Amino acid sequence: GRLAQADGERPLTLEMRHPFSVRGVIAELGRRCGRELVEKLTAPDGGKPAFFRVFADGLPIDDLDAPLETRAASPRIEMILLTGIEGG
């Protein structure tokens, strides 16, 4: 969807220093893909919009600021934006 179109690289690989949070991933995406993308991934109050789903190694993440604790040395972070046509 829109996240896949934000950058020509698929899958998009980011190098993050541990510990990191989803908010840190979003900030790095903003540097790579533009501020407009960051605005779509955060609610006006700074939280996570209901139409934005985040998974770290298959587990849902709701707190953007919580440090991501994964067993993998290179965790897989999946972000999904559900647009109106997709039911979100």
Side-chain angles (χ1 to χ4, degrees):
R2 296 186 117 184
L3 291 177
Q5 295 170 2
D7 187 283
E9 183 182 338
R10 287 184 81 177
L12 180 60
T13 302
L14 303 176
E15 292 189 30
M16 305 292 295
R17 288 195 154 146
H18 287 279
F20 64 92
S21 65
V22 172
R23 192 170 307 280
V25 172
I26 292 171
E28 183 60 25
L29 282 171
R31 282 189 282 283
R32 295 258 315 253
C33 303
R35 182 77 192 148
E36 182 180 312
L37 178 65
V38 173
E39 291 170 0
K40 290 180 175 129
L41 301 179
T42 52
D45 67 358
K48 185 175 76 60
F51 57 83
F52 176 44
R53 298 293 316 250
V54 182
F55 300 87
D57 291 334
L59 299 174
I61 304 295
D62 289 317
D63 183 353
L64 298 182
D65 295 311
L68 293 176
E69 297 181 21
T70 64
R71 293 185 178 138
S74 297
R76 181 180 174 100
I77 309 297
E78 298 172 88
M79 298 181 173
I80 303 169
L81 283 176
L82 300 171
T83 63
I85 198 164
E86 295 170 328

